[in-house]
Amino acid sequence: MAEILQKDGTWVFDGDALRLTPGRDKGVGLLRKELGELVVPLGALAGISFEQGKRSGRLRLRLRDGADPLLHATGGRLGEPHDPYQLLVDSDRYGVAEYVVEEVRHALLLDRVPTSPVAAFLLPGPAVPLSVSAGDGTASFDGERVRLEWNWKTEDAKAAAGTRVIRVEDIVGVEWQPAVGLENGHLRFTVRHAPTKAPPKYDPNAVELWGFKKDPLMALVAAAVQARLPHPAAVPAGPGAAVRDAVRTAAAPSGPEPEVPAARAADDDHDALLRRLRELGALHRDGVLTDEEFALAKQAVLRRL
């Protein structure tokens, strides 16, 4: 097990998952505090890195595309105080941070975790029900319906229609955009059969955000809804499906693919794992791997066997 405790938070890796717990320091972003502890399975990771600075460093996780509804809904626009996949590290803990990096990378290598995109969310998204008030309204989500209520700052044209209730099955897209400079942000839902080009200020399916403290919390609503929508990797059926199929067929190599008997494939994989065990044993005998590292690596290979 690898663990690092900081004022910014605590990361614990047990060989199968990383447990990320936000700290209570005043520098920890409000979104991280509200989101709480995250458990990131090893299969959701594309990589981990550690960047050293003069006074502090930073651990960063890189997730596989499509693994987390929060990252998909926010489009990589979460700032550093709110990004749950970063951890500030004090200079006297650099050695511990590097150890965590090596342990995670070693596990990714042993489990042969690919860095390619995934076809399903591997994290569940924020817990529901939840409700956030920011900008010109309040957005609530109970897992089935989004409820948008307006306040005294809402434009009359939008508020005139009253509270907006949208069923999750009618939502085809969700986006959170933070305020940047003089540009306001928004939380916007794209509703089936109700396209609009109106700016968020007038869009009844959007909450306009002005860059205040609670704005990032709207990203939690976006992520909770996104987690219940079809995964972005899913190819919808429709008039274009036949065209897409034809393109894939034309791009595929001609001729039948060679068949590999299942028994032979299993034998090959079994032999490769046995070779890996022998390699680990040699590394342990040579002192490259510690007793603990060897035990963890051996356990991971035996699980695959």
Side-chain angles (χ1 to χ4, degrees), residues 226-248:
Q226 184 67 64
R228 288 158 177 81
L229 298 182
H231 191 271
V235 180
V243 176
R244 288 191 294 269
D245 289 341
V247 171
R248 283 196 293 267

Side-chain angles (χ1 to χ4, degrees), residues 109-123:
L109 181 64
L110 281 176
D111 279 23
R112 299 181 182 179
V113 177
T115 58
S116 56
V118 298
F121 290 124
L122 301 181
L123 281 86

Side-chain angles (χ1 to χ4, degrees), residues 276-297:
R276 185 57 180 157
L277 279 176
R278 288 194 291 270
E279 292 169 0
L280 290 171
L283 291 172
H284 182 232
R285 287 193 299 272
D286 294 339
V288 177
L289 294 178
T290 65
D291 292 343
E292 183 180 0
E293 289 172 338
F294 174 69
L296 286 173

Side-chain angles (χ1 to χ4, degrees), residues 8 11 33 35 42 47 52 54 56 70 81 87 90 131 159 175-176 201 231 256 258 272 276 288 302:
D8 194 43
W11 285 16
K33 291 179 179 179
L35 184 60
L42 185 64
Q52 292 190 16
K54 291 183 178 180
S56 64
L70 174 63
L87 181 72
D90 294 335
S131 181
E175 179 189 43
W176 173 81
K201 184 176 183 178
H231 191 271
R276 185 57 180 157
V288 177
L302 290 177

Side-chain angles (χ1 to χ4, degrees), residues 150 154 291:
W150 314 116
T154 310
D291 292 343

Side-chain angles (χ1 to χ4, degrees), residues 160-223:
T163 299
R164 183 87 165 105
V165 178
I166 314 169
R167 299 182 306 169
V168 72
E169 56 264 33
D170 293 329
I171 298 174
V172 296
V174 57
E175 179 189 43
W176 173 81
Q177 172 73 51
V180 179
L182 298 178
E183 295 292 326
N184 292 335
H186 62 263
L187 169 68
R188 188 199 297 271
F189 300 97
T190 303
V191 180
R192 183 179 287 107
H193 306 312
T196 177
K197 294 183 179 179
K201 184 176 183 178
Y202 302 104
D203 185 353
N205 298 320
V207 176
E208 187 178 38
L209 305 173
W210 300 310
F212 296 144
K213 182 179 179 181
K214 290 188 176 181
D215 281 13
L217 296 182
M218 283 291 182
L220 298 179
V221 179

